[in-house]
């Protein structure tokens, strides 16, 4: 299979804003992609264009009709991007807000009594929503423990937590702290066997930029992304809901369309940027397949991204061009272990007896953007069982380069010497 090489990475980088320079702090290497991926230039141009249009949707004029058609086209593109042949898409204020809303509506559409099943690996968005609504509806909240050493939750661990009274199941597609992905299809098969009517809601926020989404293969009822982590911009979230969930009781305007989930007018430009994301993935996919079908191109792009990011994280872990990798440094510990096939473009580590903030500050002084995760309400579920107070998160994407990894490793060597 062809792979992302130096020449193609250069072309990829041309399509993104602020690749090697922050408009505020100046030149830097961006290894904070889990906090928000770079934005496509086309998405910026699209946002700017639509932000200047004063007309509203639903009016009888050409501009308004154009806005309506833009949203319609974007939802059609989202179907291809997500491989969702049924169900519907809608926009919310953020991925977190949408997870709360989908979980709330799944619970209130379910019979009384029973349980909500989640995991200790999840982001607090889904865990908090599930716990709140289990209390409100007098359900039992059941947590599937994640594998602390591997930083994953395994499908088989769901088996003894699911029963015929399980009403809602939440899954995180990839952890923003451990960086490990989850096998959605395997989990849903276990759920459907024991609780066929349960609603399954997936947090896809961290996974979205790292290899593709395939709703048709998951057998789920809800999937949520934050577009700023998938090459678009801040300020909105996107949710897909199955026909079953879409047609269940939910908040809507009286006498309005029964399947409408959007409360108020949504930003046309935000929707339109998702068409830009789809077109970008098709462009990239054409480098790896001769297929003319958009979905085939997107799948080819996803496979290439996974392959490239695996090589990059291996370089971070094991070194490159005679530079030591993180596994070669004394006192370094890696969340999930170094040799972990579930890793998706992210390495979290610590140096024993050294505050992670010191490492992040030093790297920032070298022009390398990383992030400290602390044992707080965001990451305590991962760090506390390890006995860690904090860690350094290095998160990459397919537009990062081997030279950037080499600069990171040489800076880590200098820090270790210091």
């Amino acid at each position: 299979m062809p792979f992302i090489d130096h020449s193609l990475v250069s072309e990829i980088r041309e399509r993104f804003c602020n690749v090697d320079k922050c408009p505020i702090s100046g030149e830097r290497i961006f290894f904070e992609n889990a906090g928000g991926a770079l934005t496509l230039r086309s998405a910026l141009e699209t946002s700017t264009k639509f932000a200047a249009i004063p007309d509203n949707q639903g009016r009888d004029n050409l501009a308004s009709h154009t806005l309506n058609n833009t949203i319609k086209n974007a939802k059609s593109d989202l179907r291809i991007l997500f491989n969702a042949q049924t169900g519907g898409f809608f926009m919310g204020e953020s991925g977190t807000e949408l997870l709360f809303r989908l979980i709330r509506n799944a619970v209130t559409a379910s019979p009384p009594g029973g349980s909500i099943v989640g995991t200790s690996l999840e982001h607090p968005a889904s865990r908090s929503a599930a716990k709140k609504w289990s209390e409100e509806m007098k359900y039992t909240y059941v947590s599937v423990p994640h594998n602390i050493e591997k930083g994953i939750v395994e499908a088989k661990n769901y088996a003894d937590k699911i029963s015929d009274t399980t009403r809602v199941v939440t899954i995180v597609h990839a952890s923003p702290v451990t960086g490990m992905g989850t096998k959605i299809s395997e989990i849903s098969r276990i759920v459907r066997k024991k609780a066929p009517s349960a609603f399954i809601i997936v947090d896809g926020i961290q996974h979205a930029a790292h290899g593709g989404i395939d709703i048709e293969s998951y057998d789920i009822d809800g999937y949520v992304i934050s577009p700023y982590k998938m090459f678009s911009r801040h300020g909105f979230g996107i949710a897909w809901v199955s026909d079953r969930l879409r047609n269940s009781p939910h908040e809507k305007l009286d006498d309005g369309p029964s399947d409408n989930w959007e409360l108020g007018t949504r930003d046309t430009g935000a929707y339109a940027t998702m068409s830009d994301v789809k077109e970008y993935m098709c462009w990239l996919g054409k480098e790896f397949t001769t297929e003319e079908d958009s979905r085939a191109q997107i799948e080819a792009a996803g496979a290439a991204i996974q392959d490239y990011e695996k090589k990059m994280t291996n370089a971070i872990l094991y070194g490159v061009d005679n530079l030591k990798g993180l596994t070669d440094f004394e006192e370094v510990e890696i969340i999930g272990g170094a040799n972990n096939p579930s890793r998706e473009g992210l390495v979290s580590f610590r140096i024993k007896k050294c505050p992670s903030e010191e490492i992040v500050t030093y790297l920032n002084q070298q022009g390398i953007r990383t992030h400290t995760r602390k044992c707080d309400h965001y990451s305590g579920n991962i760090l506390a069982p390890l006995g860690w107070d904090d860690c350094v998160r290095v998160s990459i994407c397919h537009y990062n380069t081997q030279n950037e990894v080499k600069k990171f490793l040489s800076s880590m060597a200098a820090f270790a010497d210091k």
Side-chain angles (χ1 to χ4, degrees):
M1 171 183 153
F3 57 91
I4 297 177
D5 59 16
H6 176 75
S7 175
L8 183 54
V9 172
S10 296
E11 288 188 58
I12 289 169
R13 288 166 72 87
E14 286 295 322
R15 291 175 177 261
F16 286 89
C17 302
N18 302 315
V19 179
D20 51 15
K21 184 179 293 184
C22 172
I24 297 171
S25 61
E27 291 187 3
R28 54 93 177 94
I29 292 170
F30 194 71
F31 282 166
E32 226 291 87
N33 292 280
L38 298 181
T39 303
L40 285 164
R41 291 182 185 274
S42 57
L44 174 62
E45 293 166 1
T46 295
S47 292
T48 302
K49 170 186 173 182
F50 282 97
I53 297 175
D55 297 272
N56 207 343
Q57 303 147 26
R59 273 62 172 173
D60 188 15
N61 62 69
L62 180 58
S64 184
H65 297 329
T66 300
L67 299 182
N68 291 339
N69 287 333
T70 298
I71 293 174
K72 181 179 179 180
N73 289 338
K75 289 184 177 182
S76 179
D77 286 337
L78 282 165
R79 288 197 181 280
I80 299 170
L81 189 62
F82 282 56
N83 194 28
Q85 297 174 20
T86 59
F89 290 90
F90 69 97
M91 184 189 297
E93 69 179 59
S94 67
T96 295
E97 183 262 343
L98 288 171
L99 284 169
F100 264 82
R101 190 171 176 198
L102 263 61
I103 292 167
R104 176 177 78 242
N105 280 277
V107 170
T108 56
S110 297
S115 66
I116 302 175
V117 176
T119 79
S120 58
L121 186 70
E122 292 172 39
H123 185 279
S126 53
R127 284 189 294 115
S128 300
K131 289 178 180 179
K132 172 180 172 55
W133 286 99
S134 66
E135 292 175 5
E136 292 282 345
M137 300 296 288
K138 295 182 170 51
Y139 282 13
T140 300
Y141 178 73
V142 179
S143 180
V144 178
H146 70 280
N147 185 310
I148 296 170
E149 286 73 31
K150 295 180 180 178
I152 62 173
V153 61
E154 296 175 284
K156 63 182 181 181
N157 293 341
Y158 276 81
D160 62 353
K161 304 293 185 181
I162 306 295
S163 71
D164 58 0
T165 59
T166 298
R167 308 304 185 197
V168 178
V169 176
T170 58
I171 307 172
V172 62
H173 203 159
S175 166
V177 183
T178 73
M180 307 308 170
T182 302
K183 296 179 179 178
I184 304 298
S185 299
E186 291 185 15
I187 296 171
S188 67
R189 279 196 293 271
I190 290 171
V191 174
R192 295 300 182 210
K193 186 175 181 179
K194 290 190 171 185
S197 62
F199 288 103
I200 303 176
I201 309 299
V202 178
D203 169 3
I205 295 171
Q206 172 62 28
H207 169 78
H210 300 286
I213 300 166
D214 187 4
I215 295 294
E216 286 300 308
S217 72
Y218 299 155
D219 192 12
I220 59 175
D221 296 285
Y223 195 98
V224 172
I225 69 165
S226 292
Y228 77 94
K229 292 192 179 186
M230 198 183 184
F231 320 134
S232 179
R233 61 172 175 80
H234 282 272
F236 71 112
I238 292 288
W240 170 85
V241 287
S242 67
D243 288 329
R244 184 169 69 114
L245 182 54
R246 181 169 62 166
N247 294 321
S248 68
H250 59 274
E251 300 96 333
K252 64 181 182 63
L253 299 180
D254 289 345
D255 303 319
S258 62
D259 62 351
N260 181 41
W261 282 62
E262 292 181 332
L263 303 175
T265 303
R266 298 310 192 196
D267 179 4
T268 303
Y271 262 122
T273 64
M274 298 313 298
S275 292
D276 293 319
V277 173
K278 178 256 186 181
E279 288 303 315
Y280 168 74
M281 292 293 285
C282 288
W283 168 82
L284 181 59
K286 289 175 186 176
E287 296 290 327
F288 307 102
T289 181
T290 57
E291 296 282 347
E292 295 184 1
D293 175 70
S294 293
R295 181 61 201 175
Q297 294 166 357
I298 290 168
E299 289 175 355
I305 287 170
Q306 287 179 328
D307 176 70
Y308 180 77
E309 292 184 356
K310 179 66 174 176
K311 292 174 181 175
M312 293 282 283
T313 52
N314 279 346
I316 290 171
L317 291 165
Y318 302 113
V320 62
D321 289 352
N322 297 318
L323 287 168
K324 293 196 299 184
L326 289 178
T327 57
D328 297 314
F329 291 103
E330 292 183 10
E331 302 297 306
V332 165
E333 295 180 309
I334 312 289
I335 291 183
N339 184 22
N340 194 321
S342 299
R343 189 179 303 282
E344 294 189 0
L346 189 157
V347 178
S348 289
F349 72 95
R350 73 166 181 172
I351 298 177
K352 294 179 183 178
K353 300 179 182 178
C354 177
S356 294
E357 284 182 296
E358 288 187 17
I359 303 169
V360 170
T361 297
Y362 178 80
L363 291 171
N364 201 40
Q365 291 168 348
Q366 311 311 306
I368 303 170
R369 192 74 55 82
T370 58
H371 183 54
T372 307
R373 300 300 304 208
K374 298 180 180 179
C375 191
D376 56 15
H377 64 291
Y378 281 114
S379 305
N381 58 313
I382 305 299
L383 297 179
L386 291 168
W388 295 20
D389 294 325
D390 49 45
C391 69
V392 180
R393 184 179 68 186
V394 184
S395 51
I396 60 127
C397 209
H398 67 282
Y399 40 66
N400 289 119
T401 68
Q402 189 177 90
N403 282 338
E404 290 178 326
V405 170
K406 289 162 69 174
K407 174 67 183 297
F408 165 76
L409 293 177
S410 62
S411 296
M412 284 300 301
F415 180 84
D417 289 343
K418 181 174 74 72

